[in-house]
Amino acid sequence: MGTAVGALILRRVAVSVPLLLLTSLLVFVLVANAGDPLADLRAQPDVAPEVIDAQRRALHLDEPVLARYGRWLASAVQGDLGTSIAGRDVAGLLWQRMQVTLRMIVLAVALAIGLGLAFGVVGAVRHYSRLDHSLTFLSYVALSLPVFWLAGLLKEFLAVRLNRLVGRQVLFTVGDADPNLTGPLLERLGNYLGHLALPTLALMAAPIAVFGRYVRASMLDALSADYVRTAEAKGASRPRVVVHHALRNALAPFATLVALNFAHLFAGAVIVERVFGWQGMGQMLLDGVRAADPNVVSAWLLVTATTVHLVNLLADVAYGWLDPRVRVG
Amino acid sequence: MSGIRSPDRRRARAAAVLVGVALVVGGCRAGDTTAPTGRSPAPAPSVRAGGTLTYASGQKLTGFNQHSPASASAFLYNLMTQVWPSTFNSAPDGQRVLNRELLLSAEQTSSSPQTVVYRIDRRAAWSDGDPLDGRDFVYLWRTAYTKGAKDIDGSEIAATAVSAQGVIESVSLSDDDRTVTVVFARPYPDWQSLFALLVPSHIAERVGWNRGFNEFDPAVVVSGGPFRIAGYRPDQDVTLVRNERYWERPANLDAIVIRILPDVGQLLPAMSNREIDLANLTNPSTDLVTQARTVPGLTVAFYELARYDRLHFNFRNDLLAMPEVRRAIALALDRPAILARLNGQLDPAKAKISNSRLYSPGERGYEDTSGGRYDRADPAGARRLLETAGFVRSADGIYARDSARMSFRILQQARVDELIQAQLREVGIEVRIQSSPNVVDAQRRGDFDLTVASRPTGAGGKAGETSQFLTGGAFNLGRYSNPAVDDLISLANSELDEARRQSLYLRADQVMWDDMPTLPLQQAIGVVIHRDTFSNIVPEIAGGLFVSANHWGLR
């Protein structure tokens, strides 16, 4: 198995690296031609042309785009992602923003997996019951609601009203934590959770529905399969049949589904961060595009694309682990 | 807020930066040194001491040195008015008033050569205990106001106040560095705009001008104002706390937290949820204002800005280079109807047509220089002008002459482009709407025939803003040029007598009504939204809010 997994990883890397290079080149060229990074500086009435020229040279904007890309790539492979138009270290900025975004995404993925599995299994085991119909209805509602709209509803109808009801700030609508947060650990933790709750809820609503529907369908197939009937006939308990026999088989393709949705979550995070005023990677991307800053956007792409590739790779490996037929194949 | 912005963010953000920079470079009437108010011109109804106010800003900080082009922004200017002191501050009407908390006096003692003597309060000190004195004036002169000045690492100093560079001949100190005598190299009517946001020289000389204030370090960004910066999370928030070492009346509030909200859509839910207490929108949308009025516990107050929207004609277009065509377009446009559809929907009482290019309605010195010629639309007059110039209407109703068809591009801008298109179509002028990913950039490059742009009129100091009408001047978007206007404006910019100066500006404006390089449309209005629990929040005509922040307080 080790050799097969190793070969799989090598094949994936061999495909991913050129793909990443090509994508980064494309994005760099597009962003570099998207506007004037010094537009704000030029818009100031009292800035001398020499100052603008000096800034152009300092940012290498006077060089051809391909030369700038080459310079960026040479530095990037050595771990130096350059500086932004505003003069900030991009690697440091990226690390700072990644911590913010991953906090939201990791929690959203974990909850979506747990709840999606639970809803899917319950829906399959008690299919066509009132509970199953309710879960199905809620899933379609969650899938139909655009993230930004759901986020707005959560702010207006959950945060504001709940806070009024309890007479204190429990849920927050802006930022990932209060500024100058001090006090006992529990209080700080409560503040972080109060800021995290609504964005996570907005972000995980659709994945829960997708996962739940998928698991329900897979479980229904599995529960009607011969080997499940055989297990039941041999006297295996209902929970053992559901969890050990049916769910395990349903889980293998589910791993791929989670990996694919991981990329969607990054896209959703861009919107959620915007709506909740989080300064994460999504906001970093928007700022980079708005400032026509190829260093920032390319670094963003490098990290998100690599992360998505890694998650997909992990999903393939997990698929093999969960389904012996794939290993043999 | 120096920042929350409505749609077309880039344009609005640039405009906000300009407002801020205009404040920095803006000046005032010569000799207005005896104004009774000090740092904060606002009257102070009774408020309680203490409390924290959270302010929303749509802009981010890129450093703390407002004099550096890499950091300068309207947001930073606003913030620093409470941290780095200025010799003169802006009153709500935009005029400059002596900062009596810093200076005992500032008098122009001679006009030839122009000489100004500043006397600094002996109690003035930076928050780290170092005296705030004439050395800080000398430092600003040698860095911001001197062309080709060098930083501590030998690099050239980058400063925003280019128009002030070279105007000072010498700065000398006496009376234990508490008296500063400034001798000017040439007449400089906007002298009250100088020495705004004094930089702590004892620190700047150590850390450097260009890079020393890029990051936040409480030991570097020290305060000489009512508040000091106590915390900063990049792109997220800035915290100001009361400067306990301030020698004058302490600020009412314990702290002001400024939170960055890049999306204006976040504002009202955050205010409803009591996470934000105050916002200042210099380009408000009707929807947002309408919604704000429905939120209980919020006060929504409009104010006039010293800025106006105007239609620019691009002289690179052969047809628009003809004065008859520009005047015909001006006659064809129904400005009252445009006003009603734009600011009239925000606040009919504050919505005004601007009939001056150099002053805004509500600004001291404003005078209608148009002679009433364009007060209402005159389609028949517009057609007459075109036909006299040899244009004839073609089969599709559009005027043409030889092979030149009266068809222009207008940069796409929400709400106004379609109105202009429809009104000009009525008289036989075709307008095509031209989309652009970056309107400000397209305007700067001259990639338009017609465009609506907004610029401040430089309340409290005109010189910096008049260049837009000078040949080859900054922001002369349409490449307008008239030597007579150049002469009148240049004369005004070096005239120390305020009445004569104003008269020269008005004469230049009258000439421009004949030339029609731009058609003024409406005065811009801003809106302050704050929670009812706070009081003493007084915006100024140039768009700033923080200059009176030491008076803000809980009711």
Side-chain angles (χ1 to χ4, degrees):
Chain A
M1 183 204 170
T3 317
V5 170
L8 173 75
I9 292 172
L10 276 178
R11 274 203 308 276
R12 279 307 183 90
V13 170
V15 173
S16 301
V17 169
L19 195 67
L20 269 178
L21 283 174
L22 190 68
T23 317
S24 68
L25 172 66
L26 199 66
V27 167
F28 194 97
V29 172
L30 280 174
V31 175
N33 287 292
D36 178 9
L38 301 180
D40 285 348
L41 192 61
R42 288 183 213 279
Q44 295 180 32
D46 246 1
V47 177
E50 305 88 70
V51 172
I52 295 170
D53 284 345
Q55 190 69 358
R56 262 177 70 79
R57 283 193 301 277
L59 296 168
H60 305 288
L61 299 175
D62 52 339
E63 296 175 9
V65 173
L66 285 180
R68 286 165 58 197
Y69 175 72
R71 182 190 295 278
W72 175 81
L73 189 62
S75 302
V77 293
Q78 295 172 56
D80 176 9
L81 297 174
T83 53
S84 68
I85 297 292
R88 292 179 67 181
D89 171 47
V90 174
L93 184 68
L94 198 59
W95 174 239
Q96 178 199 329
R97 300 301 187 90
M98 205 155 50
Q99 292 177 59
V100 173
T101 297
L102 285 181
R103 197 187 309 161
M104 187 199 306
I105 288 186
V106 168
L107 185 63
V109 169
L111 288 173
I113 290 174
L115 292 172
L117 278 173
F119 292 165
V121 171
V122 169
V125 172
R126 300 183 60 184
H127 61 282
Y128 306 128
S129 66
R130 195 169 291 174
L131 179 64
D132 181 36
H133 286 310
S134 302
L135 288 174
T136 301
F137 173 74
L138 286 175
S139 297
Y140 284 122
V141 170
L143 283 171
S144 313
L145 283 177
V147 174
F148 68 89
W149 200 53
L150 175 62
L153 292 177
L154 290 173
K155 280 183 175 193
E156 188 60 38
F157 293 102
L158 190 56
V160 175
R161 292 183 187 196
L162 181 73
N163 290 342
R164 274 190 199 143
L165 193 70
V166 299
R168 59 188 291 261
Q169 293 284 105
V170 178
L171 295 173
F172 299 86
T173 65
V174 175
D176 61 326
D178 272 356
N180 317 304
L181 194 56
T182 51
L185 179 67
L186 271 180
E187 203 174 296
R188 277 180 286 148
L189 199 63
N191 191 279
Y192 278 120
L193 287 174
H195 283 85
L196 193 57
L198 297 186
T200 307
L201 206 54
L203 193 60
M204 72 185 197
I208 289 176
V210 172
F211 296 166
R213 298 306 299 161
Y214 188 88
V215 171
R216 180 182 179 277
S218 301
M219 284 291 290
L220 282 176
D221 279 350
L223 287 172
S224 59
D226 291 345
Y227 64 88
V228 169
R229 276 204 299 275
T230 307
E232 281 175 335
K234 286 167 76 178
S237 67
R238 183 68 176 161
R240 184 175 168 79
V241 168
V242 170
V243 175
H244 192 76
H245 296 280
L247 184 60
R248 176 148 188 192
N249 277 285
L251 274 183
F254 180 67
T256 311
L257 185 73
V258 170
L260 286 173
N261 266 274
F262 199 77
H264 289 165
L265 280 170
F266 263 107
V270 174
I271 298 163
V272 171
E273 283 177 10
R274 178 92 184 152
V275 176
F276 287 98
W278 281 44
Q279 296 296 332
M281 290 188 69
Q283 192 59 44
M284 180 185 168
L285 173 69
L286 292 177
D287 291 343
V289 171
R290 196 177 301 116
D293 193 333
N295 283 8
V296 168
V297 179
S298 301
W300 182 92
L301 177 90
L302 196 69
V303 168
T304 47
T306 306
T307 309
V308 169
H309 276 280
L310 278 176
V311 170
N312 279 327
L313 194 59
L314 280 175
D316 285 346
V317 173
Y319 200 115
W321 178 72
L322 289 165
D323 190 343
R325 291 170 300 178
V326 175
R327 254 180 278 162
V328 174
Chain B
M1 129 179 113
S2 47
I4 290 249
R5 305 273 168 259
S6 299
D8 198 355
R9 304 179 55 80
R10 190 110 195 190
R11 176 186 164 218
R13 187 170 50 158
V17 170
L18 301 176
V19 171
V21 176
L23 284 166
V24 178
V25 300
C28 183
R29 272 200 319 153
D32 189 14
T33 58
T34 53
T37 46
R39 151 173 282 282
S40 308
S46 69
V47 288
R48 285 187 282 129
T52 297
L53 177 145
T54 305
Y55 175 84
S57 169
Q59 287 184 297
K60 295 177 180 178
L61 292 181
T62 52
F64 293 88
N65 184 356
Q66 172 68 15
H67 302 284
S68 165
S71 311
S73 68
F75 171 34
L76 180 64
Y77 175 82
N78 252 309
L79 176 71
M80 295 309 281
T81 54
Q82 289 294 319
V83 180
W84 285 356
S86 301
T87 52
F88 287 80
N89 289 317
S90 294
D93 66 356
Q95 298 302 310
R96 294 272 169 179
V97 290
L98 181 68
N99 180 0
R100 292 190 175 278
E101 296 182 1
L102 172 69
L103 298 176
L104 301 174
S105 67
E107 292 172 15
Q108 183 176 299
T109 56
S110 167
S111 56
S112 182
Q114 188 184 359
T115 305
V116 176
V117 177
Y118 301 90
R119 287 175 52 232
I120 305 168
D121 192 318
R122 287 193 173 276
R123 297 170 298 162
W126 295 102
S127 54
D128 61 357
D130 212 80
L132 201 165
D133 58 25
R135 292 173 301 164
D136 302 311
F137 283 64
V138 172
Y139 180 76
L140 209 54
W141 166 49
R142 288 193 173 143
T143 49
Y145 306 147
T146 302
K147 200 170 174 60
K150 299 289 181 200
D151 204 357
I152 53 170
D153 60 358
S155 61
E156 190 157 321
I157 277 180
T160 52
V162 177
S163 64
Q165 287 180 347
V167 299
I168 295 174
E169 179 68 38
S170 68
V171 178
S172 53
L173 307 181
S174 57
D175 188 25
D176 198 19
D177 295 344
R178 296 291 176 166
T179 298
V180 183
T181 304
V182 177
V183 179
F184 287 81
R186 55 181 166 83
Y188 194 68
D190 287 341
W191 64 271
Q192 288 169 333
S193 67
L194 298 176
F195 304 108
L197 303 185
L198 287 165
V199 177
S201 60
H202 63 292
I203 289 168
E205 281 165 350
R206 177 166 49 85
V207 301
W209 171 277
N210 287 336
R211 296 178 187 278
F213 298 96
N214 283 0
E215 307 291 334
F216 175 64
D217 177 350
V220 169
V221 190
V222 295
S223 171
F227 284 94
R228 66 181 171 82
I229 302 176
Y232 171 57
R233 290 193 300 169
D235 306 331
Q236 296 190 65
D237 46 67
V238 189
T239 303
L240 301 179
V241 298
R242 192 187 291 127
N243 176 9
E244 300 297 349
R245 299 191 77 146
Y246 192 56
W247 59 94
E248 261 292 348
R249 183 180 175 277
N252 288 326
L253 291 168
D254 292 332
I256 299 172
V257 174
I258 300 157
R259 302 200 69 162
I260 314 294
L261 289 190
D263 181 3
V264 73
Q266 301 165 19
L267 182 63
L268 291 182
M271 291 189 100
S272 299
N273 205 30
R274 302 178 182 202
E275 292 172 85
I276 298 292
D277 300 310
L278 169 65
N280 176 23
L281 292 91
T282 52
N283 188 20
S285 76
T286 316
D287 287 350
L288 189 134
V289 169
T290 309
Q291 283 176 42
R293 284 174 168 143
T294 66
V295 177
L298 291 187
T299 296
V300 180
F302 288 95
Y303 65 99
E304 295 176 353
L305 282 163
R307 202 176 82 201
Y308 68 97
D309 297 328
R310 80 287 302 270
L311 178 68
H312 282 263
F313 300 101
N314 197 338
F315 285 56
R316 297 170 186 88
N317 181 300
D318 291 340
L319 290 180
L320 290 173
M322 299 170 62
E324 300 88 343
V325 174
R326 299 192 300 274
R327 285 201 291 267
I329 290 175
L331 279 174
L333 289 176
D334 185 351
R335 293 192 298 162
I338 292 174
L339 181 76
R341 288 283 297 275
L342 300 177
N343 283 352
Q345 293 190 4
L346 289 172
D347 185 355
K350 290 273 191 313
K352 289 176 187 164
I353 287 178
S354 177
N355 269 322
S356 165
R357 290 176 182 80
L358 293 157
Y359 294 88
S360 295
E363 184 186 345
R364 193 157 63 177
Y366 174 79
E367 207 171 287
D368 182 344
T369 46
S370 71
R373 284 175 285 173
Y374 301 96
D375 280 356
R376 52 183 59 83
D378 180 7
R383 288 189 202 102
R384 264 198 312 276
L385 258 179
L386 292 176
E387 285 160 12
T388 309
F391 289 91
V392 290
R393 264 188 131 151
S394 49
D396 62 355
I398 303 299
Y399 277 100
R401 190 177 75 174
D402 303 327
S403 58
R405 188 175 142 81
M406 198 71 79
S407 176
F408 306 111
R409 299 171 298 153
I410 187 167
L411 276 172
Q412 186 172 33
Q413 279 154 302
R415 300 193 291 169
V416 68
D417 49 5
E418 289 179 5
L419 277 172
I420 290 174
Q421 183 185 44
Q423 290 182 5
L424 292 185
R425 185 73 181 77
E426 288 290 305
V427 296
I429 298 172
E430 183 184 60
V431 173
R432 289 165 286 127
I433 293 172
Q434 169 195 358
S435 65
S436 171
N438 186 335
V439 170
V440 173
D441 194 34
Q443 288 172 339
R444 297 282 295 161
R445 285 186 285 107
D447 183 16
F448 65 91
D449 294 330
L450 304 169
T451 187
V452 175
S454 176
R455 281 208 58 81
T457 48
K462 295 274 164 224
E465 283 302 330
T466 52
S467 68
Q468 58 185 301
F469 301 110
L470 297 177
T471 304
F475 301 101
N476 186 344
L477 304 180
R479 284 200 184 161
Y480 166 64
S481 174
N482 182 340
V485 170
D486 290 351
D487 289 345
L488 285 166
I489 288 179
S490 300
L491 273 174
N493 285 348
S494 57
E495 176 57 62
L496 291 178
D497 181 272
E498 181 59 20
R500 279 206 297 273
R501 192 179 188 213
Q502 193 172 316
S503 161
L504 287 165
Y505 282 140
L506 293 177
R507 277 169 56 196
D509 200 15
Q510 281 161 352
V511 175
M512 286 194 278
W513 277 108
D514 292 330
D515 286 353
M516 195 62 71
T518 61
L519 175 67
L521 296 175
Q522 61 167 2
Q523 180 183 20
I525 54 179
V527 63
V528 169
I529 307 173
H530 66 85
R531 299 191 56 74
D532 290 344
T533 43
F534 291 92
S535 183
N536 282 355
I537 296 165
V538 183
E540 47 160 327
I541 196 167
L545 194 64
F546 269 63
V547 73
S548 60
N550 50 327
H551 283 310
W552 297 350
L554 284 162
R555 285 181 199 275

